[in-house]
Amino acid sequence: MTTAPLTVSRVFKAPLALLWQVQTEPAHMAKWLSPDNPAAFISRMDFREGGTHFYGSPMPDGSIMYGIVTYREIVPMQRIVHVQSFADKDGNITPHPMAPTWPREMLATTTYEDLGDGTSRLSITWVPLNATEVEEATFDGARAGMQGGWDHQFGQIETYLAGL
Amino acid sequence: MTDPLSLTLGALADPTRRAMLLRLSQGVATVSDLGAPFALSQPAISKHIKVLERAGLISRSKAAQFRPCRLERAPLAQLTDFMAHFAQVTEGQLDQLETYLATLQPKGAPT
């Protein structure tokens, strides 16, 4: 099975330097990743190539979603390549809490682009890393949903069926 | 691949199977109805149906002669929960980032 990447992209009304800063400094990350309770955001960051970031992000249900990032490449204000995994509170890599066959490791490439006039574009591309065939199939199913729009279509089906 | 969500995602990774499910959202259909739009062999069609059935996305009547297929709701409900979660940790984070960036910059500043 060949696995296509999943990409999301967004243009922000912010200069590139500011976007880079709030994406890479834990004090800022706490404020946008955990806007309701920044103090609850957990972060141990070693921001350098080969370094790691262990984080815990509070979820709306009160639980904390832990993850580990390992930085492979950092080009300031241009590009970050990192490996992303879910983790437990002790920093051990774990399966996705809702989907056990979700790829344990994902390779994420983030690119930053200055669009001028105080705007910048952020693009993130994910591909499964060292994935089993089952993990790749799980990722493919979700990617088809994110980018093919079937979550919307099936959401409609679900709503329709619920009314029968 | 034994947990229900992974079975659902695996079944949905294929465009032919997604098309079959969308057809079934309009009502029950026989296997030959479902296979009609595709230039596929009968065994290939049967294989797709089996994958959907194993994932619990469809059920087949045992009584009727042509054993019509019916869409099943439960796996889709679990899937939409997962997709909502997935969207929350991707698009949702970008929304939060956007909101935060706006608070850092004075309103009406020249852009």
Side-chain angles (χ1 to χ4, degrees):
Chain A
M1 182 181 291
T2 53
T3 303
L6 171 65
T7 300
V8 297
S9 183
R10 182 81 62 100
V11 174
F12 294 99
K13 284 181 193 162
L16 181 60
L18 180 63
L19 177 62
W20 175 265
Q21 197 183 359
V22 304
Q23 275 247 300
T24 56
E25 293 179 8
H28 283 298
M29 292 169 86
K31 289 183 183 166
W32 62 266
L33 281 169
S34 180
D36 298 329
N37 189 2
F41 184 76
I42 296 157
S43 176
R44 289 204 292 275
M45 183 190 265
D46 180 13
F47 188 60
R48 59 178 174 86
E49 291 180 354
T52 59
H53 183 208
F54 172 68
Y55 63 89
S57 199
M59 294 286 112
D61 66 1
S63 65
I64 295 178
M65 180 77 87
Y66 296 95
I68 297 175
V69 161
T70 303
Y71 299 104
R72 287 195 169 182
E73 188 186 339
I74 298 172
V75 185
M77 296 208 272
Q78 287 180 32
R79 184 176 149 88
I80 296 175
V81 181
H82 74 256
V83 179
Q84 167 95 46
S85 294
F86 291 98
D88 64 20
K89 63 180 172 51
D90 301 315
N92 303 303
I93 290 175
T94 57
H96 190 291
M98 292 173 77
T101 63
W102 188 253
R104 291 214 176 191
E105 291 184 297
M106 301 260 275
L107 186 67
T109 302
T110 308
T111 55
Y112 298 84
E113 211 179 330
D114 188 346
L115 300 179
D117 290 329
T119 61
S120 27
R121 180 187 289 126
L122 172 75
S123 304
I124 312 171
T125 297
W126 285 279
V127 284
L129 185 68
N130 303 321
T132 63
E133 206 170 301
V134 171
E135 287 179 336
E136 287 189 354
T138 306
F139 179 82
D140 280 344
R143 190 200 57 250
M146 292 284 284
Q147 296 187 333
W150 57 242
D151 55 324
H152 177 63
Q153 288 175 322
F154 287 115
Q156 287 175 323
I157 293 172
E158 197 197 332
T159 307
Y160 173 70
L161 290 171
L164 291 181
Chain B
M1 199 187 289
T2 50
D3 74 289
L5 181 59
S6 301
L7 278 172
T8 306
L9 285 166
L12 290 170
D14 183 273
T16 302
R17 293 196 287 270
R18 294 201 294 274
M20 288 175 163
L21 289 174
L22 287 172
R23 164 66 184 82
L24 286 171
S25 72
Q26 291 155 19
V28 297
T30 64
V31 170
S32 60
D33 291 339
L34 288 176
F38 307 104
L40 291 173
S41 67
Q42 188 55 45
I45 296 290
S46 296
K47 198 181 163 201
H48 283 307
I49 301 283
K50 281 203 178 75
V51 172
L52 290 170
E53 207 174 352
R54 202 162 59 91
L57 284 161
I58 64 172
S59 60
R60 297 186 63 189
S61 160
K62 289 193 168 51
Q65 189 185 356
F66 294 103
R67 301 196 58 203
C69 303
R70 176 185 301 277
L71 187 67
E72 290 295 331
R73 175 174 175 259
L76 292 172
Q78 196 193 6
L79 178 71
T80 46
D81 283 352
F82 176 71
M83 293 311 297
H85 173 81
F86 199 89
Q88 186 192 333
V89 297
T90 52
E91 295 290 338
Q93 284 184 357
L94 294 180
D95 290 345
Q96 287 163 244
L97 178 56
E98 192 166 18
T99 305
Y100 178 59
L101 282 166
T103 66
L104 293 180
Q105 299 176 95
K107 276 180 192 162
T111 56

